[in-house]
Amino acid sequence: MSAFRSLAPSILQGDSSTSSQTKQNSESGNSEGATRTSGGNSGNTSGGAGGGPGGGGDDKQGKRYKTSHHDWSAASAVLHPSLMFQYTRHECVYEPHTKTHKDDLIREMEILRADNTTLQNRNRQMDEAAMDLESQNRDLKEASDWQMIILETIGSNGHDREIIKRLQAGESHQAIADWLVQENPDFQAIGLEPKRYIKLVDVVKIFEAQCQEDGIHRTGSPVVLEISWTKVSSSPRLIGHLFDLYFTWVHPVHMLFSEVDFKHDFKNNQETYCSSSLVNAICAMGCILLDSEDTGDRRNRLDAATLREGFMEEVRQTLSLGSYRRLTAIQTFAIMYLVELSSGQARRATGYLRSALDNLRACDSHQQSEEARELTEWGIQTLNTICAGITYQKLQAPPAPRDATFRHVRMDKDAAVWRFYRQVGNEREMPTRPSHAIITACHQASLFRVISDSLNLYCGHRRPVSALAFLECYRGYLDWKEDLPPVLRNISEGDQPLPHILYLHIQFHTALVQHFNPLLHCGYFEESALAELRRIVVHHARSGIEPLEHARRLYSSRFFMPLISFCLMHLCDALVRYSPNEPKAPEVVIFCLEVLNQTREGFAVCGPLQELFRQTAVECNVEIPNELRYLVGTLNHYDMDSILDACTRLSYTQPLDQILRHIDPNIGRDWNEEWRKFIVERQGQARRPSSSGRYLQIGNILND
């Protein structure tokens, strides 16, 4: 009891016996009561505060003193405020002293700290043991792979005796398997190492089983494989599933060949419009679009990447030097560019695009129709302009011909349909709609011809960027918008516009943001003109975000092509820099990072792009919201090479230091007059000049 202090308890007023005693004391003349000090200096300390044995003081004869609540309140007022106690119905409940409690806590903390150190040491030992076991398991698995190759080969191709002879000679399983690779045509056809080949076989079986479980007849997809177009899989359902994904999400955005002619030759085993390399390239791109119901299933993404690489390896094996100038090979190179760019390998991808451009000039296309050839030419020219717009590098080929696009393509025969296809079974469940893919591709080619003019303008090869030259290019953008047919012009969300039609408007507004952005940094404009230019940039940034939001709500951003992801970043970048309050910059950052995160499920290129845009947010002093902290923490592993493999540069923004030197220093002086003429022309009515700058008002043009 030495750890406690004895205090005279306060008697509760609610106790009936105490009240009667107090009353008796009052009647006997003891109005003030008797006050005692707690515990004497002698006697048994267990006597506590009362007058019992050991209580000491005035209670030598064991007399019990009773006091009123008022008396004890007065007594407690002179005690130290830290001396607190509780009393319930004549029973004292003592609390430990603060110092004693603190000492106990310190001892407990020391014990817990020692236990924690011991547990950490044990965990470290267990981790090391687990790593050793994992290494041993990996070695055993690798040895098992070699043995499996040997066992599967025995009895199948006449190598039995040679294998037994090599085993008796003491050769390792790996050495025998390496020898079998040279003898096995399956390994050589796909070009994979034995271990990777076995992994690919396992993954193919998984995806074939997933398609087989549906057990349906695919009416809209090629299913009959009378000849082996690919050695990766012989499953018609798996190949048909990958084809459906490609022709739903990729082909309407990047039309590189005739879908009708390709499917006809595929089904009829003809090689005019179809080839093994082209089939495998299409399947590889389809693997990027494989959609798992569990979006966080990392195993599914790894399996899809393995399957994609298997198709890509066969593409490389089937493309021979003598076939490069065939139109199907050129189409294959273009799709390989899309596959590698989507996979976050932009530096390797540009080599495939350059190969397509180089061979396109001297291609052997006499077997294909003019229509098919024109689709390929414009598709690759558009892809080339897209690449230049993404990387801000010089165009790899001369500009596209100045004549009309798609001269030999019949727009009226476009009877293709589109359905919201994502997984096996959607072809019978989802309704079909006219795809308008041909007419979309035609106007996309026209748009990127204007974008090509804008890129060449800023390259400075022809002349400095004067006010007149700039507005001539701007006129091309506005003319393109006015020429859109009604089926492509209406993008109201209520009408559920198709994704590739929405993408067309996204590309248009992004191109205008990039066209005007350098003028905001050249330093040649007055403040009034600069404000109007900034207004144009913000207008097109907001107008581009609107169809992006529609596409995300209607179709999910999981299937956004890399082109759309780059457009997203440029549009959000403009809003964060030039209109941080409307909409709020943090909201724009959330939108951009969330869209890129969802697209990253299949398109690995979006991972480094997230990190680049996060850096932009930091640069603009925009705090990353707390709900995205989990996402930002996963972006630290993207190093310099990852960034270069995303966009071949260390930044996605325009290289203003290179662009601004091509702008005419007199552009600001000439701007008001040239802009006045431009406004008069667009509005179709003459106006008298004014020094007030009112001709810079552009509301009517922006509302067109």
Side-chain angles (χ1 to χ4, degrees):
M1 298 295 294
S2 60
F4 298 88
R5 295 185 182 273
S6 300
L7 299 178
S10 175
I11 303 176
L12 300 178
Q13 292 180 351
D15 192 291
S16 60
S17 61
T18 305
S19 300
S20 61
Q21 292 175 359
T22 304
K23 183 177 180 180
Q24 294 175 1
N25 290 338
S26 177
E27 293 175 353
S28 61
N30 297 330
S31 59
E32 298 297 329
T35 303
R36 294 180 299 132
T37 59
S38 61
N41 295 330
S42 62
N44 191 352
T45 59
S46 62
D58 299 332
D59 197 17
K60 295 182 180 179
Q61 298 177 358
K63 184 184 300 181
R64 180 179 299 274
Y65 288 86
K66 301 177 179 61
T67 60
S68 66
H69 175 72
H70 173 77
D71 295 330
W72 279 117
S73 298
S76 62
V78 300
L79 297 176
H80 195 276
S82 64
L83 303 179
M84 304 297 297
F85 59 88
Q86 298 177 358
Y87 181 80
T88 304
R89 302 185 68 84
H90 297 288
E91 295 181 0
C92 296
V93 179
Y94 299 97
E95 294 183 353
H97 191 273
T98 303
K99 184 177 183 302
T100 303
H101 187 60
K102 180 179 179 181
D103 293 339
D104 292 340
L105 288 177
I106 292 175
R107 282 193 296 270
E108 292 179 3
M109 290 174 61
E110 291 176 351
I111 294 174
L112 291 174
R113 189 178 293 112
D115 292 343
N116 183 51
T117 302
T118 302
L119 290 174
Q120 288 181 349
N121 292 333
R122 291 180 180 176
N123 288 337
R124 190 178 300 109
Q125 294 173 0
M126 293 178 65
D127 289 341
E128 294 175 354
M131 292 177 62
D132 292 339
L133 290 175
E134 184 178 356
S135 177
Q136 296 175 15
N137 182 62
R138 187 165 51 250
D139 294 340
L140 291 173
K141 181 65 171 59
E142 185 173 353
S144 176
D145 291 341
W146 303 126
Q147 295 169 7
M148 185 62 66
I149 293 174
I150 296 172
L151 291 175
E152 290 182 351
T153 307
I154 291 178
S156 60
N157 53 14
H159 293 312
D160 306 39
R161 294 184 179 180
E162 182 64 24
I163 291 175
I164 294 174
K165 181 179 178 181
R166 289 174 178 266
L167 287 172
Q168 291 176 344
E171 290 190 24
S172 66
H173 297 116
Q174 180 176 354
I176 297 175
D178 290 338
W179 168 74
L180 286 173
V181 170
Q182 305 300 323
E183 301 293 332
N184 194 323
D186 291 336
F187 294 155
Q188 291 181 345
I190 299 180
L192 293 174
E193 298 174 357
K195 185 177 180 180
R196 294 174 60 195
Y197 176 76
I198 290 178
K199 173 63 174 175
L200 175 62
V201 171
D202 293 339
V203 170
V204 169
K205 291 179 180 178
I206 293 174
F207 284 105
E208 287 179 346
Q210 291 176 357
C211 293
Q212 189 69 26
E213 288 176 359
D214 187 81
I216 63 172
H217 177 67
R218 311 180 64 83
T219 57
S221 306
V223 297
V224 180
L225 298 177
E226 295 184 4
I227 65 175
S228 178
W229 291 109
T230 175
K231 295 183 180 297
V232 176
S233 173
S234 60
S235 169
R237 285 194 173 90
L238 176 58
I239 301 302
H241 178 44
L242 297 175
F243 275 20
D244 280 342
L245 289 171
Y246 180 89
F247 287 110
T248 299
W249 302 106
V250 183
H251 187 70
V253 183
H254 302 290
M255 190 170 292
L256 301 169
F257 56 89
S258 170
E259 177 183 357
V260 174
D261 293 331
F262 169 81
K263 288 184 175 180
H264 175 272
D265 278 18
F266 182 87
K267 292 180 179 180
N268 294 279
N269 307 303
Q270 299 176 3
E271 296 186 334
T272 303
Y273 298 94
C274 184
S275 68
S276 294
S277 60
L278 184 57
V279 169
N280 282 281
I282 292 173
C283 290
M285 191 66 200
C287 291
I288 294 176
L289 301 166
L290 285 171
D291 190 28
S292 172
E293 295 182 358
D294 181 7
T295 57
D297 187 358
R298 183 173 180 270
R299 174 63 182 273
N300 183 77
R301 296 198 300 270
L302 294 176
D303 288 346
T306 300
L307 187 61
R308 180 201 70 224
E309 189 57 31
F311 283 112
M312 286 295 288
E313 288 289 348
E314 188 168 354
V315 172
R316 300 183 184 101
Q317 291 294 320
T318 53
L319 279 175
S320 60
L321 182 61
S323 67
Y324 290 168
R325 293 188 176 181
R326 291 191 57 187
L327 204 56
T328 53
I330 295 171
Q331 297 159 356
T332 300
F333 282 129
I335 299 176
M336 293 175 74
Y337 165 77
L338 291 175
V339 174
E340 296 294 356
L341 176 63
S342 304
S343 304
Q345 299 294 329
R347 288 184 287 182
R348 180 169 25 174
T350 53
Y352 292 127
L353 180 59
R354 182 61 182 266
S355 299
L357 291 165
D358 290 344
N359 290 284
L360 183 62
R361 301 187 183 98
C363 70
D364 179 16
S365 61
H366 63 277
Q367 293 182 341
Q368 294 196 6
S369 65
E370 286 289 336
E371 180 181 27
R373 178 187 173 94
E374 192 169 11
L375 284 173
T376 299
E377 287 179 346
W378 281 107
I380 292 179
Q381 291 287 359
T382 299
L383 207 59
N384 180 38
T385 307
I386 291 173
C387 178
I390 290 175
T391 62
Y392 299 103
Q393 296 179 0
K394 180 181 177 181
L395 293 172
Q396 299 285 359
R402 305 309 303 177
D403 51 6
T405 56
F406 286 27
R407 290 184 305 161
H408 303 285
V409 179
R410 292 180 53 189
M411 300 295 175
D412 57 348
K413 78 168 190 176
D414 184 13
V417 296
W418 189 92
R419 62 169 56 88
F420 188 17
Y421 184 87
R422 300 176 61 178
Q423 296 177 352
V424 175
N426 290 155
E427 66 275 13
R428 63 175 178 177
E429 299 170 354
M430 305 300 294
T432 60
R433 303 166 55 187
S435 71
H436 306 297
I438 294 289
I439 191 171
T440 302
C442 175
H443 285 273
Q444 185 188 43
S446 300
L447 172 61
F448 275 90
R449 187 167 64 177
V450 181
I451 294 175
S452 176
D453 292 340
S454 178
L455 292 173
N456 284 320
L457 176 68
Y458 279 123
C459 287
H461 295 303
R462 301 176 182 175
R463 54 190 173 181
V465 183
S466 63
L468 178 60
F470 179 90
L471 292 175
E472 284 180 356
C473 191
Y474 184 39
R475 182 182 294 107
Y477 282 110
L478 298 182
D479 290 343
W480 176 89
K481 181 69 176 296
E482 291 178 354
D483 291 340
L484 284 178
V487 70
L488 300 183
R489 181 182 292 272
N490 182 19
I491 57 171
S492 174
E493 185 177 2
D495 296 328
Q496 295 188 342
L498 295 172
H500 42 279
I501 296 177
L502 291 171
Y503 299 163
L504 198 61
H505 289 264
I506 295 169
Q507 296 161 24
F508 167 75
H509 291 292
T510 304
L512 280 174
V513 168
Q514 293 179 303
H515 187 62
F516 276 90
N517 184 59
L519 300 187
L520 301 179
H521 301 272
C522 65
Y524 299 138
F525 289 91
E526 298 177 354
E527 184 58 35
S528 58
L530 199 62
E532 291 297 335
L533 293 173
R534 189 179 297 110
R535 179 188 171 195
I536 295 176
V537 172
V538 171
H539 165 79
H540 286 292
R542 292 173 181 166
S543 300
I545 290 294
E546 182 179 354
L548 256 170
E549 292 177 327
H550 293 350
R552 186 191 187 192
R553 285 193 292 265
L554 292 173
Y555 306 107
S556 166
S557 55
R558 165 66 179 83
F559 303 101
F560 283 179
M561 292 292 103
L563 166 63
I564 305 304
S565 296
F566 277 95
C567 289
L568 165 72
M569 295 180 66
H570 288 294
L571 295 172
C572 292
D573 184 282
L575 291 178
V576 169
R577 295 180 188 275
Y578 307 128
S579 181
N581 296 320
E582 189 180 354
K584 298 294 185 181
E587 296 177 0
V588 176
V589 172
I590 291 175
F591 176 76
C592 184
L593 292 180
E594 286 184 344
V595 171
L596 290 174
N597 189 56
Q598 186 176 11
T599 311
R600 188 180 63 169
E601 294 296 329
F603 295 85
V605 66
C606 293
L609 295 185
Q610 281 181 292
E611 169 60 14
L612 287 176
F613 193 76
R614 184 196 66 82
Q615 294 175 7
T616 295
V618 174
E619 176 187 342
C620 297
N621 297 319
V622 179
E623 185 177 357
I624 304 296
N626 291 330
E627 54 264 34
L628 291 185
R629 293 294 181 184
Y630 75 96
L631 178 59
V632 174
T634 64
L635 303 179
N636 299 328
H637 65 280
Y638 293 114
D639 55 10
M640 178 181 66
D641 286 333
S642 299
I643 303 299
L644 291 174
D645 281 332
C647 49
T648 71
R649 298 172 55 241
L650 293 177
S651 174
Y652 67 91
T653 57
Q654 291 175 293
L656 294 176
D657 57 334
Q658 303 176 29
I659 293 177
L660 296 182
R661 61 189 180 189
H662 296 299
I663 298 180
D664 188 351
N666 297 322
I667 189 174
R669 183 196 64 187
D670 302 336
W671 181 261
N672 285 353
E673 180 63 21
E674 295 297 336
W675 183 258
R676 184 192 66 80
K677 296 178 181 179
F678 182 79
I679 293 291
V680 170
E681 176 189 343
R682 301 305 301 182
Q683 294 181 347
Q685 58 183 355
R687 292 187 178 181
R688 295 165 55 184
S690 171
S691 60
S692 64
R694 60 179 179 170
Y695 293 110
L696 291 177
Q697 301 303 318
I698 48 145
N700 292 335
I701 292 181
L702 295 183
N703 291 329
D704 287 344

